Amino acid sequence: MRPALLACLALSLALASPAYAQTPPLAPAQETIRDIDTVVVSGVQPGPGMWKVSRGEHVLWILGTLSPVPKNMQWLSRDVEATIAQSQEVLEPPSVSIGTDLGMFRSMLLIPSALKARRNPDDKTLRDVVPADLYARWLPLKARYIGSDRGVEKWRPVFAAQELYEAAMRRSDLSLKGIVWPMVERSAKQHEVKITPSKIEMKIKDPKAVLKDFAHTTLSDTDCFAKTLSRIEGDIETMRARANAWAIGDIEALRALPQGDQYEVCLRAVTASGVAQRLGFGDLRERVIQAWLANADRALLNNRVSFASLPVAELFKPDGYLARLQARGYTVEAP
């Protein structure tokens, strides 16, 4: 449940924290950024094969998606398009829509940006709210990937981490932009194939009151910040290797390479807060999974051929979608 998917946080504050200027400077941080040797593939690439989920003559084909992918690759999608053309139904990737009076958002982590509410409460900065050793690791990474922007120093760690991660991807020949679903949706419409959403819709009736509540809420997002730094320090080359494996269709390499996705940890920092729990966000992942599985059951019962796409990391999990389908009695065959 991505790409990407990162609740409302504290109200924006206009001025930088006075404590920032008064804090003695940290000792120079030890350089932890590794040189990147892996060359990211480009040009036309086949992408991975599809998992086959079946019962009798009824088949659901599942394409595993990945983020990030090589920035300059062109996905050769003809096999997927041919599968969609013979399908009776396409299942949308599972998602959550959060409604406010500003409209609908596909991710809880988008709402603070829209409401200009990413900053720390009490005018604090990153230097004030994260341990000194983490802040020392943050500085060279920020300098390399973000630059001298001081605005991000006022953000909550979860949002500063996301900004750093996205900037690092842009500098590493990787793209967070989804390339699969736009093609799938276009192909389904072209062949007049039914598209079924697997979406949980939630409504925040009074976002201003929620913002006020969050203004005094401390998030447990230090772990998110630390895991994001670690991933950028040591995992970018692995991410590039995963992106290459997805592009050329090497499922075994994808399975063998560590997944290392910090997004769930960062999302949990938001959804585990008291405010998010009161809004009913605590069990979102399980609710989304169950909504998608219910659609898959119906598709496999009613259709001869159906198609779906899911994040490949979710397919590999011991309690992921494929494992749950298998537990329901379906036959699952890897590409």
Side-chain angles (χ1 to χ4, degrees):
M1 176 180 66
R2 203 64 65 194
L5 178 95
L6 307 184
C8 298
L9 299 182
L11 293 169
S12 299
L13 301 172
L15 301 175
S17 169
Y20 183 86
Q22 297 168 1
T23 304
L26 292 171
Q30 182 178 357
E31 179 64 55
T32 56
I33 304 171
R34 301 180 184 176
D35 290 331
I36 299 171
D37 298 318
T38 303
V39 176
V40 177
V41 301
S42 60
V44 178
Q45 300 295 336
M50 292 171 280
W51 275 263
K52 181 182 180 182
V53 179
S54 61
R55 178 178 286 165
E57 297 182 353
H58 295 235
V59 177
L60 170 64
W61 294 99
I62 301 178
L63 177 71
T65 60
L66 185 72
S67 179
V69 295
K71 183 187 297 183
N72 297 315
M73 73 164 281
Q74 180 182 347
W75 177 37
L76 184 63
S77 57
R78 61 190 179 195
D79 289 345
V80 170
E81 292 182 71
T83 301
I84 293 171
Q86 62 175 323
S87 296
Q88 289 78 59
E89 187 174 3
V90 166
L91 304 184
E92 273 193 19
S95 65
V96 178
S97 288
I98 313 296
T100 74
D101 55 6
L102 297 180
M104 299 298 291
F105 299 89
R106 298 283 279 185
S107 167
M108 293 177 66
L109 295 183
L110 296 178
I111 299 174
S113 301
L115 300 182
K116 302 185 184 302
R118 294 172 296 192
R119 299 188 185 190
N120 284 298
D122 302 323
D123 211 17
K124 291 183 178 180
T125 67
L126 281 175
R127 186 191 291 256
D128 300 322
V129 299
V130 301
D133 61 326
L134 287 183
Y135 189 74
R137 289 167 57 193
W138 154 266
L139 287 176
L141 292 168
K142 179 199 170 192
R144 178 167 184 170
Y145 295 116
I146 296 177
S148 59
D149 177 18
R150 290 173 66 94
V152 72
E153 293 284 344
K154 306 170 190 175
W155 291 6
R156 300 255 193 170
V158 60
F159 298 111
Q162 183 69 11
E163 183 75 3
L164 179 66
Y165 177 72
E166 293 179 4
M169 295 305 97
R170 290 192 294 269
R171 291 282 302 274
S172 303
D173 292 328
L174 296 168
S175 173
L176 294 168
K177 184 178 180 180
I179 64 173
V180 170
W181 181 249
M183 184 287 303
V184 170
E185 187 174 35
R186 185 172 60 251
S187 183
K189 290 179 178 178
Q190 177 186 347
H191 296 287
E192 299 182 345
V193 179
K194 174 186 176 183
I195 299 176
T196 299
S198 298
K199 181 187 301 183
I200 299 295
E201 295 187 353
M202 305 190 70
K203 179 70 174 179
I204 298 176
K205 296 181 180 179
D206 190 351
K208 291 183 180 179
V210 173
L211 280 174
K212 186 176 180 180
D213 203 355
F214 263 108
H216 304 288
T217 297
T218 299
L219 296 180
S220 300
D221 53 358
T222 300
D223 192 29
C224 160
F225 190 74
K227 286 186 181 300
T228 304
L229 297 186
S230 295
R231 194 168 190 212
I232 295 170
E233 288 166 344
D235 196 38
I236 286 184
E237 188 167 348
T238 304
M239 282 188 273
R240 290 160 70 102
R242 271 196 304 273
N244 284 347
W246 187 91
I248 65 175
D250 190 341
I251 296 295
E252 290 310 311
L254 271 176
R255 191 188 300 273
L257 287 163
Q259 298 303 312
D261 189 357
Q262 82 285 358
Y263 183 78
E264 285 190 19
V265 177
C266 294
L267 189 59
R268 197 178 306 124
V270 177
T271 58
S273 67
V275 177
Q277 293 287 322
R278 289 194 294 276
L279 290 171
F281 293 156
D283 61 346
L284 274 182
R285 180 178 184 270
E286 185 60 28
R287 290 168 62 189
V288 168
I289 290 175
Q290 291 302 326
W292 187 92
L293 288 171
N295 284 337
D297 282 333
R298 284 192 292 269
L300 280 158
L301 177 65
N302 298 323
N303 305 326
R304 184 178 57 82
V305 180
S306 307
F307 174 85
S309 61
L310 292 168
V312 72
E314 292 289 342
L315 299 180
F316 292 150
K317 287 181 178 178
D319 65 341
Y321 290 86
L322 292 178
R324 296 190 189 214
L325 288 168
Q326 207 160 22
R328 278 166 140 83
Y330 298 108
T331 300
V332 176
E333 301 174 49

